[in-house]
């Protein structure tokens, strides 16, 4: 690598994807380089120390000699060399005069990569950040404790999880936690640790531990947080999870899976359950069949891009495409024309030759010949390789059989798949609150479908002997879709285990050659119609080969259409759970934001957000009941806050389109190794012994969701709220409200009777509790609370005074 410096040059930009020159420039054609009229190498004009429009420019040189000539001319070449079919791409720092001079000399100077406008923006951003940091440093920061908890996980290991927000948002702010070793012990006697600063989309969120901290001392009672900016805050440490562990009945049975299953096996199992329990179930054929576990057959000819072509059968592989063969031959004589012949399913391309008998047909000519032959084009379509012009001479190839590359056994149908959903309930008429449990949107997440299947088995096989199960089945309308992405799941099981998306190829011919076959498909959890890529939200891709490809449009895929149909066809669905893997998360809306300014989808109101949090204690205690796994507090919350922005996800579609409480699981929590004191990820497809345990514990979590839904249905008790005065100062009184269950509070400050159109209590900020309301004069406050089930409290009233100034 090199960078030639010229006198007075302004500093060049850093290297990007640097390629060793000796490697990058091998095996490329040589052409004459441009020269000055007298044939002598002449340096470019000397540049001054002024900026004067200097930019980082892209140059496409014809060959290595032309790159060397640029260096001899004193061009400021940066450490970037990229071989192209038409030459070599290099980057250089050039003034406008130098750009014009090079172009006049015949060099192919293309567009800019960065210029002084970018420099000015960077400088302005830097100055703004420095000013903000200096302003923050000038004042003592305020600390707000969001969470301070301890919990136990597998094998009884104990951990701490803290989240604290500083009013000083700059990166120089350092927070330290010091916890005691029990009631009436000194701060720091249990331990001390520095917290990590958590940012998302460029915005400071809060400080936390990157992963829960192992607790080797007695359980702390209090923790003190201090900042290097002077802030300090003490908080009580509470227990996370385990306070209300569900207790299974005496004869409760579980564990109905003993291996990872493909979608055909899973569908056969739920079909058998519907036949065995006809009074409690309904098997629903979803209206949109998938595109199927099928591919067109293909073959590729050539290894050099300019000389390569590939062919794709018109018929699906299993419907005849796999029976087609093609060969590319030298006719064995001089001055032979290019020709194509077809016998039965065998296509022969006979290449043209020159007077000496050498092959002259290019890839482009061969493609045109195949596609122009009526018999051949009835069998297959020929295409150039990845958008190449196809100017290289085609290499010969013997008899080559086209293949769809699919390896699943014959028991897996290649036809469009009929997705089936199992409905469980005593009354399946829409009169009971509906709960929709769905799994395996992402094909490679093998634990998730057996989780949904296990839940179905438990509900049906415990109905007769377990009163709690019977209460759930009788009081709810339960919809279970174990496999949301059957085509992709079959492909993951038998062909490419890391397949995430469905199997539908929306790519153009430039990205449809056989080597791309593991890169096709739509991410079904980016294909919904709320907060989507098409609405400008982040976390999905428009590239058809990306693992987060959002598809050609909203709800374009049959699998996504089925999901949308379910929530519209059954309006009694009030709760849903999308089960994914891995990492151990429990999440809800909002799930997407626009990166600029981190513009998040509208957050649920304060009462609903609290309902999400209250339910999490019940649901995650259910998960923990199986083998002790605790989902971390830091991995519990809105998708966009604890994971990432996921534009076009289904949980958002459920909540914002239909008002459905849409949760998302990520099964497969990290496992703690007490010997190394580290957390270890389990991956998408752990050994089945681990995968089995994950399915069992998260099935317990799904059952707990049903319990939450049943309590919602049975709740007929109004909430009880109270007004809390938080502070008083001359001329000012600050207050908020407290309520005994997740509820919205509506209030007035003018003495009038509040309604649901009155002002509603909001959250103070993300994870910071209820807002504080300030008054400056004697005020009559009237309010009432409405819980999530719709129970309404009678209007309350209190008169507040304000201290004299």
């Amino acid at each position: 690598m090199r960078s030639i410096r010229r006198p007075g040059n302004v500093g060049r930009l850093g290297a990007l994807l640097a390629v060793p020159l000796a490697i990058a420039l091998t095996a490329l054609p040589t052409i004459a380089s441009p020269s000055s009229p007298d044939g002598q190498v002449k340096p470019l004009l000397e540049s001054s120390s002024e900026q004067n429009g200097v930019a980082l420019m892209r140059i496409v040189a014809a060959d290595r000699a032309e790159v060397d000539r640029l260096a001899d001319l004193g061009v400021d070449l940066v450490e970037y060399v990229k071989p192209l079919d038409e030459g070599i791409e290099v980057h250089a720092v050039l003034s406008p005069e130098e750009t014009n001079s090079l172009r006049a000399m015949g060099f192919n100077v293309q567009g800019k990569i960065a210029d002084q406008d970018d420099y000015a923006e960077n400088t302005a951003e830097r100055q703004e950040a420095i000013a903000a940091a200096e302003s923050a440093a000038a004042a003592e920061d305020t600390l707000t404790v969001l969470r301070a908890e301890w919990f136990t996980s597998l094998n009884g290991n104990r951990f701490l999880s803290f989240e604290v927000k500083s009013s000083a948002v700059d990166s120089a702010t350092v927070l330290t936690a010091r916890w005691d070793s029990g009631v009436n012990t000194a701060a720091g006697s249990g331990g001390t640790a520095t917290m990590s600063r958590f940012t998302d989309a460029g915005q400071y969120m809060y400080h936390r531990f990157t992963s829960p901290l192992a607790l080797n001392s007695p359980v702390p009672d209090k923790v003190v947080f201090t900042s290097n900016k002077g802030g300090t805050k003490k908080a009580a440490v509470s227990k996370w999870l385990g306070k209300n562990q569900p207790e299974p009945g005496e004869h409760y049975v579980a564990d109905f899976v003993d291996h990872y299953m493909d979608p055909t096996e899973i569908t056969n199992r739920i079909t058998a359950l519907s036949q065995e329990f006809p009074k409690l179930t309904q098997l629903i054929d979803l209206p949109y069949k998938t595109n199927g576990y099928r591919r067109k057959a293909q073959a590729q000819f050539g290894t050099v891009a300019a000389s390569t072509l590939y062919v794709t059968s018109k018929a699906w592989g299993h419907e005849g495409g796999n029976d087609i063969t093609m060969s590319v031959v030298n006719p064995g004589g001089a001055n032979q024309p290019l020709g194509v012949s077809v016998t039965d399913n065998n296509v022969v391309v006979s290449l043209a030759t020159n007077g000496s008998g050498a092959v002259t047909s290019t890839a482009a000519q061969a493609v045109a010949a195949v596609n122009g032959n009526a018999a051949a084009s009835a069998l297959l379509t020929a295409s150039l390789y990845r958008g190449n012009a196809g100017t290289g001479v085609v290499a010969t190839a013997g008899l080559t059989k086209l293949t769809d590359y699919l390896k699943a056994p014959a028991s897996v149908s290649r036809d469009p798949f009929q997705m089936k959903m199992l409905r469980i309930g005593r009354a399946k008429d829409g009169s009971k609150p509906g709960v929709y449990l769905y799994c395996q949107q992402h094909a490679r997440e093998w634990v998730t479908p057996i989780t949904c299947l296990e839940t179905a088995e438990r509900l049906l096989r415990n109905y007769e002997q377990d009163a709690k199960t019977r209460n759930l089945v009788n009081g709810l309308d339960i919809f279970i879709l174990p496999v949301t992405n059957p085509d992709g799941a079959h492909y993951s099981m038998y062909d490419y285990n890391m397949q995430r998306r469905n199997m539908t190829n929306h790519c153009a011919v430039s990205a449809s050659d056989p080597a791309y076959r593991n890169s096709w498909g739509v991410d079904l959890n980016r294909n919904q119609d709320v907060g989507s890529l098409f609405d400008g939200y982040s976390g999905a891709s428009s590239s058809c080969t990306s693992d987060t490809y959002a598809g050609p449009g909203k709800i374009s895929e049959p699998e996504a259409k089925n999901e949308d149909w379910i929530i519209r066809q059954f309006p009694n669905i009030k709760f849903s759970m999308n089960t994914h893997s891995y990492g151990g998360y429990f999440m809800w809306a909002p799930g997407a934001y626009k990166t600029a300014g981190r513009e998040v989808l509208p957050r649920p109101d304060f009462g609903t957000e609290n309902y999400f949090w209250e339910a999490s204690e019940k649901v995650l205690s259910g998960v923990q009941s199986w083998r002790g796994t605790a989902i971390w507090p830091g991995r519990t919350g809105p998708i966009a806050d604890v994971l990432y922005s996921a534009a076009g996800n289904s949980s958002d579609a459920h909540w914002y389109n239909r008002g459905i409480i849409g949760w998302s699981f990520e099964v497969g929590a990290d496992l703690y190794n007490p010997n190394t004191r580290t957390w270890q990820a389990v991956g998408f497809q752990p050994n089945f012994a681990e995968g089995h345990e994950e399915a069992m514990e998260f099935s317990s979590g799904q059952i707990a969701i049903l319990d939450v839904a049943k309590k919602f249905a049975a709740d007929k008790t109004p909430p009880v709220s109270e007004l809390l005065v938080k502070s008083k100062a001359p001329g000012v009184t600050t207050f908020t409200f407290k309520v005994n269950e997740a509820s919205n509070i509506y209030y007035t400050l003018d003495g009038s009777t509040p309604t649901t159109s009155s002002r509603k209590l909001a959250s103070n900020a993300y994870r910071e509790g209820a807002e504080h309301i300030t008054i400056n004069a004697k005020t009559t406050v009237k309010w009432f609370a409405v819980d999530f089930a719709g129970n309404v409290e009678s209007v309350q009233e209190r008169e507040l005074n304000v201290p004299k100034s």
Side-chain angles (χ1 to χ4, degrees), residues 161-367:
S161 179
F162 301 149
E163 296 173 4
V164 183
K165 188 173 183 179
S166 169
S167 60
V169 300
D170 61 288
S171 60
T173 304
V174 179
L175 301 190
T176 301
R178 296 181 298 123
W179 56 94
D180 60 29
S181 52
V183 178
N184 297 325
T185 58
S189 61
T192 301
T194 300
M195 304 179 72
S196 299
R197 183 173 181 267
F198 172 43
T199 62
D200 188 35
Q203 289 197 12
Y204 167 70
M205 303 295 287
Y206 46 82
H207 281 71
R208 63 180 183 181
F209 294 142
T210 304
S211 58
L213 194 69
L215 181 62
N216 298 312
S217 59
V219 173
D221 178 53
K222 297 288 193 302
V223 57
V224 176
F225 300 101
T226 56
S227 164
N228 63 331
K229 300 295 179 66
T232 183
K233 190 74 172 181
K234 179 185 285 189
V237 181
S238 60
K239 186 178 183 182
W240 169 248
L241 304 184
K243 294 188 275 294
N244 298 297
Q245 290 281 6
E247 293 292 336
E250 182 179 357
H251 301 291
Y252 192 85
V253 291
D255 195 354
F256 297 98
V257 296
D258 61 4
H259 66 283
Y260 288 128
M261 300 182 198
D262 71 28
T264 298
E265 291 177 276
I266 292 282
T267 302
N268 289 341
R269 282 283 292 270
I270 65 169
T271 300
L273 284 174
S274 71
Q275 294 168 349
E276 185 177 354
F277 298 95
K279 294 182 179 180
L280 296 178
T281 65
Q282 177 188 0
L283 192 65
I284 300 173
D285 283 349
L286 299 186
Y288 300 94
K289 288 187 177 181
T290 72
N291 292 323
Y293 173 76
R294 57 183 181 175
R295 288 271 169 84
K296 301 295 180 69
Q298 294 185 299
Q300 183 170 305
F301 300 87
T303 57
V304 178
S307 306
T308 296
L309 61 95
Y310 70 94
V311 294
T312 304
S313 66
K314 292 291 180 67
W316 297 106
H318 69 289
E319 294 178 343
N322 290 336
D323 299 326
I324 300 171
T325 61
M326 179 167 145
S327 53
V328 181
V329 301
N330 184 331
N335 297 316
Q336 297 297 307
L338 172 63
V340 177
S341 61
V342 179
T343 303
D344 296 326
N345 286 328
N346 182 34
V347 179
V348 178
V349 180
S350 180
L351 301 174
T353 59
N354 60 18
S356 63
V359 171
T360 60
S361 295
T362 65
Q365 291 168 340
V367 165

Side-chain angles (χ1 to χ4, degrees), residues 16-27:
L16 299 172
L17 303 176
V19 178
L21 198 60
I23 296 175
L25 304 183
T26 58

Side-chain angles (χ1 to χ4, degrees), residues 4 12 41 73 75 96 130 136 142 163 176 218 227 239 269 321 363 409 439 608 678 694 800:
I4 308 299
R12 58 183 171 78
V41 173
L73 287 168
V75 173
I130 291 173
T142 299
E163 296 173 4
T176 301
S227 164
K239 186 178 183 182
R269 282 283 292 270
C439 294
T608 304
T678 57
E694 294 174 14
L800 294 180

